[in-house]
Amino acid sequence: MQELVKRASELLADGSVARVLGWKAGDLPYNPEPAYFENEEQLRSFVYNGFCGANLSKYMIEASKMEGKTLVFLKPCDTYSFNQLLKEYRVDREKAWIIGVGCRGKLDIEAVKRSGIKGIESIAEEDGELKIKTLYGDQSISYAEAMLERCHSCKGKEHRVYDELIGESEETGDREQFAGVAEIEAMSPEEKFAYFQKELSKCIRCNACRNVCPACSCRKCVFDSNKFDSAQKANTDSFEEKMFHIIRAFHVAGRCTDCGECSRVCPEGIPLHLFNRKFIKDIDELYGEFRAGEDAETKGPLTDFTFEDAEPGVVAERG
């Protein structure tokens, strides 16, 4: 971490960048927050650890409108989102100084809690384990057990866009990307409906998934409209949530980089990434394998046309 702070201080001092976009310590040891830093004194609160899961690429939409360059720290998976935003002209590459940071997988405090560890006071990383001080004594859990789900199906540790690299990465992918989707595809239609009704009924329409999603970058969202009462969760006992989440999944289809931020920030623990992975899987099968954000030039399969494209009837047959 000190190397990151040192480099950020140098770039601020020589005027190469006007500000730094990174993470600062939160009110608890496991919730660092995205933050801007404008001087060396502010950088004293900078942190980079296993809990810095936030994808900072979306913050570069607003940073691109500011005067001067913004130094942004991006993990390998974040760079896919930045490339996709470049492709959509939502960020300005000339306004960004990108430092690709090493990543050995990011941690999920909920995974720690699910292991039975409670009353957490502090967490330290040591030799592939998390050493946790709690109100009830010292406990530990392996780093891999505590990782975010998305890190188990990691896209790889190669940064797709950067100006310089700092830090080493470790491969963490030990699960097939579409395994969870395949399990749901094997269900009957009634079982699928019951599964998603159960999961999505937890939704409180806080909009955290939408607000954190790099692909949800519209200045005005259809769900902000008061005209059709779509800006709030309906006062009903019916399966209202299906509208919000399924429409959102359609809106990011072909553009979602599977960064997993939607599931990471959901306060109800809804596996929202499964919707997006279903679309990614279908697009791969119908149009050929495609990874959004792998570069900033290739047109997406849903925004381009070729004579080899799947016909609507193919989709109907698969439905």
Side-chain angles (χ1 to χ4, degrees):
M1 184 185 80
Q2 291 308 313
E3 189 176 358
L4 302 183
V5 173
K6 179 175 181 292
R7 185 60 180 140
S9 296
E10 291 172 351
L11 291 170
L12 279 173
D14 67 17
S16 297
V17 301
R19 68 197 64 80
V20 174
L21 176 56
W23 304 267
K24 69 176 182 180
D27 55 349
L28 293 169
Y30 46 77
N31 69 338
E33 307 166 358
Y36 288 107
F37 307 87
E38 296 183 347
N39 53 56
E40 190 169 351
E41 182 179 352
Q42 292 178 359
L43 280 169
R44 291 174 186 169
S45 62
F46 179 95
V47 298
Y48 183 61
N49 57 38
F51 287 102
C52 292
N55 179 350
L56 301 180
S57 63
K58 184 168 186 176
Y59 293 81
M60 289 302 295
I61 295 175
E62 292 304 316
S64 293
K65 301 170 186 174
M66 300 178 186
E67 290 294 325
K69 285 192 176 186
T70 299
L71 161 58
V72 59
F73 293 102
L74 297 180
K75 305 182 295 295
C77 58
D78 301 340
T79 60
Y80 286 80
S81 299
F82 189 88
N83 262 346
Q84 189 62 30
L85 289 168
L86 276 176
K87 191 182 299 187
E88 297 171 9
Y89 305 101
R90 301 296 282 127
V91 296
D92 184 345
R93 182 66 180 91
E94 297 302 313
K95 289 289 192 75
W97 187 298
I98 301 172
I99 293 184
V101 291
C103 179
R104 54 183 296 235
K106 292 304 162 189
L107 300 169
D108 181 4
I109 191 59
E110 296 305 320
V112 175
K113 292 176 180 177
R114 285 195 297 271
S115 72
I117 298 176
K118 300 178 180 179
I120 299 170
E121 294 185 316
S122 65
I123 302 177
E125 302 170 26
E126 183 180 320
D127 299 326
E129 285 194 326
L130 297 183
K131 303 295 184 181
I132 305 171
K133 292 188 179 296
T134 79
L135 295 172
Y136 314 103
D138 295 346
Q139 298 193 50
S140 65
I141 182 175
S142 74
Y143 195 98
E145 284 182 275
M147 281 196 309
L148 287 162
E149 188 281 336
R150 72 188 190 201
C151 298
H152 288 287
S153 56
C154 177
K155 293 187 286 289
K157 301 303 182 184
E158 180 184 356
H159 292 81
R160 309 306 301 188
V161 57
Y162 61 88
D163 292 297
E164 54 185 294
L165 299 175
I166 297 178
E168 299 295 324
S169 295
E170 295 179 19
E171 292 296 336
T172 60
D174 55 10
R175 296 178 193 166
E176 205 280 317
Q177 182 183 14
F178 303 118
V181 174
E183 289 179 13
I184 295 173
E185 286 178 330
M187 297 178 182
S188 68
E190 294 76 18
E191 289 172 331
K192 291 175 186 174
F193 187 88
Y195 173 80
F196 282 110
Q197 183 171 32
K198 175 178 176 291
E199 291 296 331
L200 297 180
S201 63
K202 302 173 187 175
C203 176
I204 59 175
R205 282 293 296 276
C206 65
N207 289 325
C209 57
R210 181 196 70 176
N211 295 343
V212 78
C213 175
C216 277
S217 60
C218 295
R219 296 293 293 176
K220 181 69 173 177
C221 175
V222 64
F223 287 104
D224 287 333
S225 172
N226 291 318
K227 184 176 181 180
F228 305 107
D229 293 326
S230 63
Q232 57 197 10
K233 181 179 168 69
N235 183 20
T236 177
D237 294 329
S238 68
F239 188 15
E240 179 267 343
E241 295 81 5
K242 64 185 177 183
M243 180 181 72
F244 175 72
H245 291 291
I246 293 176
I247 289 177
R248 206 183 78 78
F250 269 104
H251 283 189
V252 304
R255 302 165 48 242
C256 169
T257 63
D258 195 19
C259 75
E261 284 289 84
C262 51
S263 291
R264 183 184 71 85
V265 302
C266 178
E268 299 299 316
I270 303 171
L272 296 168
H273 64 281
L274 290 176
F275 277 126
N276 302 323
R277 284 190 183 167
K278 169 60 174 169
F279 278 78
I280 293 170
K281 182 173 182 290
D282 285 352
I283 288 170
D284 284 353
E285 292 176 0
L286 291 169
Y287 298 93
E289 289 193 12
F290 172 78
R291 192 179 289 282
E294 195 161 37
D295 60 58
E297 294 81 33
T298 305
K299 290 184 178 181
L302 301 184
T303 57
D304 197 12
F305 169 80
T306 73
F307 287 105
E308 287 73 42
D309 283 353
E311 293 294 329
V314 175
V315 180
E317 290 172 13
R318 295 177 76 255

